[in-house]
Each structure stands twice: as C-alpha cells, then as structure tokens.
Amino acid sequence: MMKEWADNKGMKLLLLGGTADGRILAERLHQHNISVIYSVAGLVRVPTVECNVVSGGFTQFGGLECFIKQNKIDAILDVTHPYAEKMSTKAINVAKVCRIPYWRFHRKEWQPQAGDNWVLLNNWDEALSFLSTKQSILLTAGQLNQSFIDSLYELSIAQLSDLSPEIQPRQLLRTAVKPKAMLPPTMEWIKAIGPFTYGDELALMEYYNVDVLVTKNSGGDSTIAKLAAARDLDILVLMLKRPELPSATQVFYSRDECEQFVLGVCNAL
C-alpha cells in the first residue's frame, strides 16, 4: 500500500528504477520536495527510500496506463537498466498515450581500453562460435534465455571428446537472483550482488582459470572491475551491445544534469 501524497502541488513524477542511479535520483528529488513514486521490480531487494515505492510491477494496478491515470502522474523518468528494453519501450508508448513527457537516464557505456580484447555482439547467438573452444566461461549478463543455455551445454558436451579426461569444460553463471532457466550440470550458479572490487574479480577469474568473459555493456562503476581484471589476465570479453530504444523527450547521461533538469521543470510550474 502506497502512502498518500504529502503534497498535491507541483509535479508528480513516476521514476522507473531498479538501479543504483534510480535510487539515488529518487532520494535527491524527494529531498527537493518533488512528489516521486519509485518503481522497482523487487526481484533483488526493495530499496529503502523516503518516497513512495511500488514493487512488483504495474499489473497489480491494472497496468502502467491505469496507474498513471489513477495517480495523475505528470512525467515518467526512466532510470531502468540499459537492457530493460521491454519496460522502456512500454513506458514511452504509454507516455505518448497519456500525453506526458518521457525522460530517460542511462549511464554511459563502457569503452574499450588499451589492452582489452573485446568482441561486440548483436545477440547471444553470435557468441557461440567464440565459446566453442573455451574451457572456462564466466557469464555475468543477468538472466539468460533457456535456448542460449542449452546451446552452451551442447558446446560443452561436444568439447569432451577433444579434451583430456582430467579437463572438464566449466560454465559459471553469476547473477543476483536465482536463474529462471534450468541450468545444465556443466554450469555452476554463483549468487552475488555488486559492487565488485578489482581484487575479488581477479581472484575469481584466476581461481576458475576463466578464459572468456560474457557480459553486457551496462556501464557504471559497480561491475566495471571485471573488465580491468579481464584486461590484466588477457581474457577475451564478449560484450553484448545495448538495444536501440525509441526516442525519449530528453535523454541524460549525468545524474546531476538529470536532477537539475527535473528541478528546473518543477520550479517553472
């Protein structure tokens, strides 16, 4: 149950979160007395923030459009994960129907550094040819679909005939929540929530003799240490490109810039 609005004046903002950036922006805007509803899927943890929080999606309210109309939302600020394509697309379409602005904050993409060995992927199927010769795969790309995981298992089975008996192909899947897909016997689940340090990432890759890292270009500082560790260990990185999202009314890559813009709009009301 959400709390009643403390102030019916000014802008009512729906902030779609689930990231550290979303939580920080929700807290900052709330401190400026902006009426903020912070929405989070709640799969990992529900954040402790002073503003109203909606956990578990909008189906419970009859859908996003109904929620916006019932709560008289004036604008949407999308601070979801850069790969939350479904949610972002839904939000911008609903914003158009409701005739309210849709703003998006996305942290900047990681850029390859000197010494990196990156291969950019358009989809996960493109990764399979690079993984067919790898013996220890570290997957840090969130929830993976069953089809891709099944393909990885087939690759590991095919490798058995080419490897000596004492060598077994290994696949490590690190996620914050339990995988939705059924994992094969060759895949080990590592439950972990960032931020991760360089030392921890280096120790993990060395312990498991990782020879390829599979990840998404999430950006930010929370999980960037794995890229530095892979660079120093000369490990191949398969990097999934970000999805192309529909155009937003405004796009921000800096939290400060985003915050100042929202405050400016509110002050102009």
Side-chain angles (χ1 to χ4, degrees):
M1 180 70 67
M2 290 195 305
K3 297 177 289 186
E4 294 295 327
W5 290 109
D7 181 8
N8 289 325
K9 298 179 181 179
M11 171 176 288
K12 292 183 178 179
L13 179 69
L14 175 61
L15 196 157
L16 305 177
T19 62
D21 293 308
R23 176 182 53 77
I24 292 170
L25 280 168
E27 291 175 339
R28 286 183 180 180
L29 294 172
H30 177 75
Q31 289 170 2
H32 286 286
N33 297 317
I34 295 176
S35 296
V36 179
I37 295 180
Y38 182 65
S39 170
V40 62
L43 297 176
V44 179
R45 53 195 171 195
V46 177
T48 302
V49 291
E50 293 298 322
C51 63
N52 283 290
V53 176
V54 172
S55 177
F58 298 98
T59 303
Q60 58 188 314
F61 304 104
L64 179 58
E65 183 178 344
C66 287
F67 182 86
I68 287 174
K69 291 178 178 178
Q70 291 168 1
N71 290 278
K72 299 180 181 180
I73 300 298
D74 295 304
I76 296 175
L77 175 56
D78 183 355
V79 199
T80 57
H81 193 276
Y83 289 82
E85 183 177 7
K86 184 177 179 180
M87 184 69 248
S88 292
T89 302
K90 176 69 174 178
I92 194 168
N93 289 335
V94 170
K96 289 178 181 177
V97 171
C98 296
R99 297 183 178 181
I100 61 175
Y102 166 88
W103 306 320
R104 181 188 302 135
F105 169 86
H106 270 176
R107 51 189 181 240
K108 292 182 179 180
E109 292 180 296
W110 292 320
Q111 299 296 327
Q113 306 296 316
D116 281 331
N117 182 14
W118 289 13
V119 173
L120 302 181
L121 308 173
N122 293 303
N123 55 66
W124 288 132
D125 289 341
E126 293 181 355
L128 296 175
S129 61
F130 296 97
L131 298 175
S132 61
T133 58
K134 300 302 181 181
Q135 297 175 13
S136 186
I137 303 170
L138 175 58
L139 301 134
T140 65
Q143 297 289 339
L144 298 174
N145 63 57
Q146 189 69 58
S147 175
F148 181 61
I149 287 179
D150 290 344
S151 296
L152 290 177
Y153 181 55
E154 292 174 4
L155 285 179
S156 64
I157 295 301
Q159 285 180 309
L160 289 175
S161 59
D162 299 326
L163 298 174
S164 57
E166 66 273 11
I167 299 178
Q168 296 293 323
R170 178 188 292 114
Q171 301 154 353
L172 306 168
L173 176 62
R174 185 174 72 186
T175 61
V177 297
K178 185 177 180 179
K180 297 179 181 178
M182 295 290 293
L183 303 186
T186 55
M187 186 172 290
E188 176 183 346
W189 174 43
I190 300 175
K191 180 178 181 179
I193 302 175
F196 302 101
T197 67
Y198 171 81
D200 288 342
E201 297 291 59
L202 191 71
L204 175 71
M205 294 181 188
E206 289 181 328
Y207 179 80
Y208 286 103
N209 293 314
V210 171
D211 53 8
V212 61
L213 170 65
V214 182
T215 190
K216 295 177 177 178
N217 199 328
S218 301
D221 298 327
S222 180
T223 60
I224 195 174
K226 61 188 174 186
L227 300 179
R231 181 186 311 125
D232 291 343
L233 294 173
D234 195 26
I235 292 173
L236 173 66
V237 176
L238 301 183
M239 182 77 72
L240 183 69
K241 296 179 183 178
R242 289 187 178 183
E244 292 187 11
L245 300 175
S247 298
T249 311
Q250 294 282 342
V251 179
F252 309 97
Y253 300 98
S254 158
R255 283 201 302 262
D256 290 342
E257 179 188 9
C258 181
E259 178 185 356
Q260 291 305 313
F261 174 85
V262 176
L263 291 177
V265 172
C266 291
N267 291 334
L269 295 177

